[in-house]
Amino acid sequence: MIDDIVPLASAQGRRRRTDRRFARHVRATAEAYALLAPSLIGFLLFLVAPIFGVAGLSLFDWNLMGAPSFVGLDNYRELAADPDAWRSLFNTVYYVLLNIPAQTVLALLLALALNRRLRGGRVFRVAFVLPWMAMPVALGIVWSWIFDPRHGVVNQVLGMVGIDGPNWLTDPAWAMPVIASVNVWQYTGYTMLILLAGLQAIPHQLYEAAAIDGTTPVQRFFMITLPLLRPSLFFVLVTNTIGSFQVFDTVFVMTQGGPGGATDVLNFHIYQQGFQLFRAGFASALAMVLFGLILLVTAAQFLYFRKRTVYDFS
């Protein structure tokens, strides 16, 4: 009789412990979802829902007044045959290719310099980050004055050394490099700050061991610094590339897409079609092309860095 009661009590005890663990798991899961709820609601309302809304609107012809009419894929067919749309796509890619390499290399060089504990390093960090905190519209106005062909500082300095500066913002060959240089100047400090944090997370013991082995500074950079900095490089490349594809305010303030469409990037073209020509459906189709392009480039970056990134320095 006692032999039958002991196993039964043991089984009941295990069942109660299992029930308590399950209850704790349910309570912890509910608390986690409750904490995540504000972010999830914001993500669904302000990111997922607008994407589906724009995708749906791209199938309609709508002048922002009255009822939209369904046209199917006509907006996409028109877009594929529109030379202005292809020009804005080319200009966007051209801007990204000018902006991202220059910004990343400059930020990396600055981060390497400030990581060496120079005197006044904190002052330089603040000075480099300050442009990132300024309003892009205000900066665009200031840089328009600086690049003014008659009264701007740039041409006056070039004139002092005997060089006749071009009409920077009205010359199709120079307008886009000027736009890219302004954005490089504004965002390099922010990129530098992230790369500097990544550099300071690399253990000094690795450099000491490599120095004992007789490696040169260049070898230590390519064998230690660059591989262990990949998480930070991956972050800045993905976020800066997405931001570069969405450039708008600098173009709007400094060139209005000119001269002759030389700086007419996709985001500005979407604005023109949607809010100046009142073609919301066609503008939505352009927005979906831009979304697909960003998605494609970001996926390629993820695939490239996925097997090359080290996250654990311990």
Side-chain angles (χ1 to χ4, degrees), residues 283-303:
S284 298
L286 279 167
M288 291 309 300
V289 169
L290 178 59
F291 173 71
L293 185 60
I294 292 174
L295 198 65
L296 188 65
V297 173
T298 305
Q301 289 174 323
F302 266 95
L303 289 174

Side-chain angles (χ1 to χ4, degrees), residues 127-197:
F128 288 131
V129 174
L130 278 178
W132 171 64
M133 301 170 68
M135 295 294 293
V137 173
L139 289 179
I141 294 172
V142 172
W143 280 99
S144 296
W145 295 338
I146 292 173
F147 281 105
D148 184 89
R150 296 181 59 189
H151 308 291
V153 175
V154 175
N155 276 6
Q156 288 187 7
V157 171
L158 291 176
M160 293 169 65
V161 293
I163 298 175
D164 189 14
N167 295 331
W168 299 99
L169 297 177
T170 56
D171 186 335
W174 282 106
M176 184 60 85
V178 168
I179 296 286
S181 67
V182 171
N183 283 281
V184 167
W185 175 82
Q186 183 178 10
Y187 294 107
T188 293
Y190 165 75
T191 305
M192 178 270 298
L193 204 61
I194 296 172
L195 295 180
L196 182 60

